[in-house]
Amino acid sequence: SQTNMSVSAFVASINAKHQKKLNCTRYFSKCSIQPRGEEFINGLHTFMLDALRRFKEVNDTYPERIFVYRDGASDGQFRSIQSYEITQMKSAFE
């Protein structure tokens, strides 16, 4: 049932430093449905890979830096989630 599900969402700016306007005004986004209470984002590798591809498509280069803001997890889950999700992101960079 839908009440047993939650949404994980991913948003990335695709503005590049060399663009005249440095404001973050263009975005790439994706979301997925997963079981309620599941704090790990299982599709993060795909989200990041798709965002990197889109950034390169728009800017003819990959981003110089990536900043990640993560919400929705308790302090007690931070280390486990950090390890699981950073591994997924690093694999997308390869």
Side-chain angles (χ1 to χ4, degrees), residues 10 31 55 64 75:
F10 179 96
C31 64
F55 187 96
E64 292 178 17
D75 290 340

mmCIF file of all heavy atoms in Angstrom, residues 10 31 55 64 75:
data_model
loop_
_atom_site.group_PDB
_atom_site.id
_atom_site.type_symbol
_atom_site.label_atom_id
_atom_site.label_comp_id
_atom_site.label_asym_id
_atom_site.label_seq_id
_atom_site.Cartn_x
_atom_site.Cartn_y
_atom_site.Cartn_z
ATOM 1 N N PHE A 10 16.306 13.630 -5.013
ATOM 2 C CA PHE A 10 17.664 14.065 -5.324
ATOM 3 C C PHE A 10 17.547 15.274 -6.248
ATOM 4 O O PHE A 10 16.841 15.228 -7.246
ATOM 5 C CB PHE A 10 18.394 12.924 -6.039
ATOM 6 C CG PHE A 10 19.800 13.235 -6.456
ATOM 7 C CD1 PHE A 10 20.857 12.859 -5.651
ATOM 8 C CD2 PHE A 10 20.067 13.862 -7.662
ATOM 9 C CE1 PHE A 10 22.158 13.118 -6.039
ATOM 10 C CE2 PHE A 10 21.368 14.130 -8.050
ATOM 11 C CZ PHE A 10 22.421 13.754 -7.241
ATOM 12 N N CYS A 31 13.499 11.160 -8.265
ATOM 13 C CA CYS A 31 12.989 10.626 -7.003
ATOM 14 C C CYS A 31 12.684 9.150 -7.184
ATOM 15 O O CYS A 31 12.575 8.653 -8.298
ATOM 16 C CB CYS A 31 11.775 11.393 -6.513
ATOM 17 S SG CYS A 31 10.349 11.270 -7.583
ATOM 18 N N PHE A 55 24.909 17.319 -16.218
ATOM 19 C CA PHE A 55 25.788 18.478 -16.055
ATOM 20 C C PHE A 55 26.754 18.560 -17.236
ATOM 21 O O PHE A 55 26.949 19.620 -17.819
ATOM 22 C CB PHE A 55 26.571 18.364 -14.741
ATOM 23 C CG PHE A 55 27.367 19.596 -14.414
ATOM 24 C CD1 PHE A 55 26.852 20.556 -13.564
ATOM 25 C CD2 PHE A 55 28.638 19.801 -14.947
ATOM 26 C CE1 PHE A 55 27.580 21.701 -13.261
ATOM 27 C CE2 PHE A 55 29.369 20.937 -14.659
ATOM 28 C CZ PHE A 55 28.835 21.895 -13.808
ATOM 29 N N GLU A 64 33.520 20.885 -11.013
ATOM 30 C CA GLU A 64 34.799 20.923 -10.290
ATOM 31 C C GLU A 64 34.634 20.445 -8.850
ATOM 32 O O GLU A 64 35.534 19.836 -8.283
ATOM 33 C CB GLU A 64 35.368 22.338 -10.289
ATOM 34 C CG GLU A 64 35.808 22.818 -11.643
ATOM 35 C CD GLU A 64 36.314 24.245 -11.590
ATOM 36 O OE1 GLU A 64 36.633 24.753 -10.493
ATOM 37 O OE2 GLU A 64 36.385 24.865 -12.662
ATOM 38 N N ASP A 75 20.675 11.292 14.095
ATOM 39 C CA ASP A 75 22.107 11.308 14.402
ATOM 40 C C ASP A 75 22.666 9.908 14.617
ATOM 41 O O ASP A 75 23.791 9.623 14.229
ATOM 42 C CB ASP A 75 22.376 12.161 15.649
ATOM 43 C CG ASP A 75 22.153 13.642 15.393
ATOM 44 O OD1 ASP A 75 22.159 14.055 14.210
ATOM 45 O OD2 ASP A 75 21.975 14.387 16.374
#
